Amino acid sequence: MSIPILATKLFIPSPRTKLVLRRRLIERLNEGLGGKLTLIAAPAGFGKTTLVSEWVINNDRPTAWLSLDEGDKDSTYFLTYFVAALQTIASTIGEEILSVLQSPQPPPIESVLTVLVNEIAIMPENFVYVLDDYHSVDSKQIDDALIFLLDHLPTQMHLVITTREDPNLPLARLRARGQLTEVRVVDLRFTHSEAADFLKQVMGLDLSTEQIAALETRTEGWIAGLQLAALSMRGRDDVAQFVRAFTGDNHYIVDYLVEEVLQRQSEGIRSFLLQTAILDRLNGSLCDAVTGQQGSNARLEALVRGNFFIVPLDDKRHWYRYHHLFADVLYAHLMTEQTDQVSTLHIRASEWYEHNASATDAIRHALAARDFERAANLVELTAPAMRQTRQESTLLGWLKALPDDIFHLRPILSLEYVGALLSCGELESVETRLRNAERWLDTPTQSEDMIVMNKQELSRLPGWIALYRAGLSLVLGNLTNTVTYARRVLDLIPEDDHVLHGSASAILGLASWTSGDLELAYRAFADGMDYLRIAGNISDAVGGTLALADIRIVQGRLHEAVRIYERGLQLAFDHGEPRMRGTADMYVGLSEINCEYNNLQVAKQFLLRSEEQGEHTGFPQHPYRWRVVMARLRQAEGDLDTALALLHEAQRLYVSDFFPNVRPVAALKTRLWIIQERFGDALGWVRERALSIEDDLSYLREFEHITLARVFLAQYKYDQSDHFVREAIGLLERLMQAAEDGERTRSLIEILVLLALAHQMQGDMSTALVPLERALTLAEPEGYVRMFIDEGSAMSTLLEKAVKHGIRPSYVRQLLTAFDKPESKPLVDQNLIEPLSERELDVLRLLATDLDGPDIARELVVSLNTIRTHTKNIYTKLGVNNRRSAIRRAEELHLL
C-alpha cells in the first residue's frame, strides 16, 4: 500500500501581500548558501517560516519545501515525504526509493540516503531544501539520518532548517568548519524601523513614534506579540492607555492578548476558533464537520484577511493551519470553557477523517477523545495496511495507547498486537497477547461477546496463533516448539492458504537450518518459497533464494549456489523489477563465491554491481554481508588492516534475524588477528566466548570451534608446546565427525586442511597427506581455491608434496599456480562492465551455433522469453547490438 502524500506539506507558504522586507536577514541567508546548513532557531512567533518563504520565493535557486508535523516521526513517512519534496523540483529523482519504502521490509535509513545522495550529486543545478518546523518530529532516528546527510551532502544542495529548539545535530563541528549559518532570536527580533513598518503598513495602525518604540521595547521585537497587540488595539479609543499598560513577559502577554482578541470577536467567530483548535490542519469541510456549522471556508478566508494567526498551506488556499502558539492558547481556553465538548469535537474529526480515507488521523482523534472502542475498531481495520508498509512502530504505539481490557474480547486485535511486538523486538508482552487470542480457539463461530472487525481473518485465527507461536519459539531458541507449532499451522490451514503455508514451511526450514539438518532445511524452505511465489509474494520468493544459496554453500555445493542466485535474479527480472528487494544481496553472494574461486576482479565487479543496485535493494543484513565479503577480498589482496576495519564496521552494522548466525564476525576478526600474530586479542576472544575443547559440539558454534583450533595451532607455532597441537588435533577430529554427519562439506574441507597442517607442524608429512588428499577430493569438483591458498606457505609446501605423491595432480598444480599469481584466470575479460553468468555463457555458446531462439530455449529447457532476456543481457555486457557482433566480440575475449 502506498503512503498517501499530502500535497499541502510540500507547498512553499505564500508571502502575505503586506510584508515587512527584512533585507539584512535576506543578505545573511544569501551569504550562507556557500555552506551546508542554515539554521533558523527561535521560539514561536518570531517569523521563521515567513522569512524563509519570502527568501526562497525571491531566490533564483529551485526550492524543495517540507512542512513537518508530529506524524513525520515515523522514519518511513519522513523519508517518503523527503523524497516527494525533492520531486517538486526534479520529478524523476528518488522514484525507486519511493517504491522500496512501500515494500514490506523497508531498508535502513542510511541505505536509502546513500542512494539519494548519489542521485542528488548528479543533479544539474544548485537548489535549496527547507525543513520547516523540524522540532515537531523529535526523533533520534531522523536526527541520525540528517547527520548522515550533512556528512555526505552534495555541493548542489543547501539545507535550511527552521525550528523552535536546537536540533541534535553536530552544530559545533559545522560551525568550526564554516559550514553553518545561524539566524536566532536576536536576529529575528524586529528592529525599531521594522516594527514601525509592521504596525503601520501591515496592521494598518496609525501610531506615534513613541508608541511604536514602547511596543517594540516591551515586546523585545517579538513579532507575534506585536501582531497580537495590534489586533487588540483595533477599534480602541484608548490606544495610548493600552500602550502604557502593555507590560509582562511573553507567557503573560500571550494569555492577555489572546483574551483581548477572543473577547472582541463575535460569539460565532470565537466559538469557531475554540472548537477548531483541536485540528492540526483546517479546511472548510473538516471545520464544518467539527463545529456542526456551515460556511467554514468563508470564515477561514476572513481570518486570513484579518491577519489572524492562520497560515495557508497550499497555493489554492484549501488547507490552513493556526500558528502553533495561537493554537496552543486556543486549545487551553477550549479545555477551560468547553471541557465537556472536547471529546465530541475529536469524535467528529475522527469520523470526517475516516470518511475521507485518512485512517491515521481518524485513529489519532479517536484516541484523543478516549473513545477506545472506536479507536480499536479503526486500528484493527488499518493494521494490515500498516504491516504492508512496515509501520509497525506506529501501529504498536496505537495499540499501547489502548487500555488492556479492550483486547479481552478482540482476538484479531490481540494478534495484531503480537505481530507488532515481534516485529519491533519487544517480546515481554507477546505471551500475554497470544494467550488472550488463544482463549477464543474453542469458539467454533463468532461469539456474541467476541468483537471482530476484520471478519475474513477470523477463520485463520488458529493458523496465525500457531505461526506466531512458532516464530516466538524460534526467536527464543526453542527449536522443538518451533517445529511443533509450525507443523500445527500446516495441519490447521486449507491447502489454498498459500501465505500461511509458505510462512510455516519457511519457519520449519529455518529451524532445521539452525539445528544443522541442512538438506531438510533446504527442502522445507524451498517449499515455503514456492507457496509464497504462488501467493504473489514475489519479493519474498526472491529474498528466499539467499537462504537457499547459503545452505548450499554450507554443504559445499558452490556451483548450485551460483545457479540459485541466478534464478533469483532472473525471477526478479521476469517480473519487471531488476532492482527488487534482495537483488543487492544476491550480487554479494555471487561475489563471495567468486572470491573463493580466486576470481578477485570478478568478485569486485559483483560487489560494485551490488552498490549500483543500491543498499535499498538489500535486506537489513545487506550492509553487514557486503562488508564481510569486501573484507575477504582485502584479505586475499594482503591488506589485513583494511579487512579488519571492514569487519569492525560489519560487526557494528549486524542486524539479527531468523537466519542462524553461524559465521559470527568476532570469529572472523579473530582469524585475522591470528594472521597478524595478535595472540592476546585472539585469546581474549576465546575467553569472552568461553570456548573449550571439551564443549559439546553444535552446528551453531562449529565455526567458532574451528577458529578455536586455529588459535591452538597458532599458539603451538609461537611456543612449540606440544599440548596445543594435540588439543587442536583432538578438537578437529571431533569436528570432522560432526561435519561429516551433518553433510557440511565446506566445514569438512576446512577441518581436513587444518588437520593436514597440524600433522605437518609435528613433522609427520605422510600422515598430513591423508586428510589433505581427502580435502582435495571434496574441493576439486566445486573449484575451491582460497580455502587452500589462504593458509600460506605451509600449504604450498604440502601441495608440492602432494604432487610428488600423485595426489590430484592437475588440481594441485592449479592451486600451486594460484600461489604464484594474484588471482586465478578470470572467467571473463575484466574490461567488461559486468561478468557473464554461467547461464549467459551457456546461451552465448549456443548463439555461436546455427540454432535459432526456440531451439536454444528447448536445448536449455527454458522459455523463449528467458532466452531473449539472457540475450539482451549478453549484448549489453559485451557492448554490442546483434548476434553476429556478439559472437565476434566473444571470440576476441576467448569466451567461446
Side-chain angles (χ1 to χ4, degrees), residues 543-809:
T545 62
L546 300 175
L548 297 175
D550 279 352
I551 292 170
R552 287 304 191 223
I553 289 171
V554 174
Q555 292 177 307
R557 296 159 68 170
L558 302 185
H559 296 329
E560 187 172 348
V562 170
R563 289 192 290 272
I564 290 170
Y565 285 134
E566 290 177 350
R567 285 199 300 268
L569 291 169
Q570 188 62 49
L571 180 60
F573 196 90
D574 287 344
H575 285 80
E577 296 189 50
R579 296 197 178 195
M580 185 181 287
R581 192 80 181 275
T583 52
D585 300 279
M586 285 185 272
Y587 285 116
V588 171
L590 288 168
S591 175
E592 181 181 16
I593 293 173
N594 274 279
C595 187
E596 177 56 51
Y597 291 156
N598 204 34
N599 293 336
L600 303 186
Q601 291 301 320
V602 176
K604 285 181 183 178
Q605 288 181 26
F606 276 123
L607 283 183
L608 289 174
R609 181 59 188 272
S610 177
E611 276 193 314
E612 291 169 2
Q613 290 286 100
E615 283 194 358
H616 64 283
T617 63
F619 287 105
Q621 285 212 344
H622 171 77
Y624 145 79
R625 290 172 67 114
W626 192 95
R627 285 159 179 80
V628 167
V629 175
M630 180 56 84
R632 192 177 183 202
L633 273 170
R634 295 299 183 222
Q635 178 185 350
E637 294 171 339
D639 188 354
L640 299 184
D641 289 338
T642 300
L644 194 58
L646 284 163
L647 290 178
H648 280 308
E649 194 173 355
Q651 192 169 28
R652 179 179 64 83
L653 293 171
Y654 178 77
V655 178
S656 63
D657 57 10
F658 289 116
F659 286 17
N661 183 20
V662 294
R663 292 172 66 86
V665 178
L668 292 170
K669 288 165 56 179
T670 301
R671 292 177 175 218
L672 285 182
W673 288 333
I674 292 171
I675 298 172
Q676 294 178 318
E677 297 186 352
R678 293 169 57 176
F679 302 125
D681 290 328
L683 291 172
W685 170 80
V686 173
R687 288 191 294 271
E688 180 183 331
R689 298 297 297 156
L691 290 166
S692 165
I693 60 171
E694 287 85 18
D695 291 339
D696 292 334
L697 302 182
S698 69
Y699 168 55
L700 283 180
R701 303 200 74 183
E702 185 171 76
F703 189 76
E704 290 184 313
H705 280 113
I706 295 173
T707 306
L708 175 63
R710 288 183 176 276
V711 173
F712 286 149
L713 293 177
Q715 286 181 290
Y716 174 72
K717 288 173 64 177
Y718 182 71
D719 65 9
Q720 296 295 304
S721 178
D722 286 340
H723 80 277
F724 285 126
V725 72
R726 288 197 301 271
E727 288 185 339
I729 291 173
L731 176 59
L732 288 168
E733 287 175 344
R734 292 176 60 213
L735 287 166
M736 179 179 66
Q737 186 61 52
E740 281 181 319
D741 294 342
E743 299 181 347
R744 298 186 290 275
T745 302
R746 182 173 70 171
S747 293
L748 181 57
I749 294 171
E750 182 181 3
I751 293 165
L752 291 166
V753 164
L754 292 177
L755 276 171
L757 291 171
H759 289 300
Q760 181 193 35
M761 288 178 186
Q762 293 180 309
D764 190 351
M765 296 299 293
S766 59
T767 302
L769 290 176
V770 175
L772 178 63
E773 181 174 9
R774 189 176 176 204
L776 292 167
T777 301
L778 292 171
E780 183 177 11
E782 297 295 333
Y784 283 89
V785 177
R786 298 298 320 180
M787 182 73 78
F788 296 92
I789 67 175
D790 281 346
E791 302 300 335
S793 59
M795 177 54 64
S796 178
T797 300
L798 263 180
L799 291 173
E800 289 172 353
K801 292 285 186 182
V803 169
K804 293 178 180 179
H805 284 75
I807 297 172
R808 300 280 169 178

Side-chain angles (χ1 to χ4, degrees), residues 379-452:
V379 170
E380 184 173 328
L381 292 171
T382 307
M386 298 296 287
R387 283 188 276 105
Q388 278 187 338
T389 53
R390 304 299 295 180
Q391 297 177 65
E392 288 95 341
S393 60
T394 299
L395 176 60
L396 186 58
W398 291 338
L399 292 164
K400 286 182 175 180
L402 297 172
D404 279 348
D405 58 8
I406 206 78
F407 296 94
H408 293 166
L409 301 178
R410 294 175 178 267
I412 304 301
L413 192 65
S414 295
L415 278 182
E416 295 293 358
Y417 208 158
V418 170
L421 288 167
L422 285 173
S423 296
C424 296
E426 298 186 21
L427 305 182
E428 187 175 342
S429 302
V430 169
E431 184 65 33
T432 301
R433 303 303 170 192
L434 269 173
R435 288 179 179 176
N436 187 64
E438 286 170 335
R439 291 192 304 111
W440 301 95
L441 287 178
D442 296 331
T443 305
T445 58
Q446 184 172 348
S447 163
E448 292 183 1
D449 295 331
M450 185 191 300
I451 301 174
V452 176

Side-chain angles (χ1 to χ4, degrees), residues 63 95 166 178 205 240 369 389 407 410 456 506 684 737 788 849:
T63 299
E95 289 180 339
D166 275 16
L205 293 173
T389 53
F407 296 94
R410 294 175 178 267
Q456 64 181 6
Q737 186 61 52
F788 296 92
T849 69

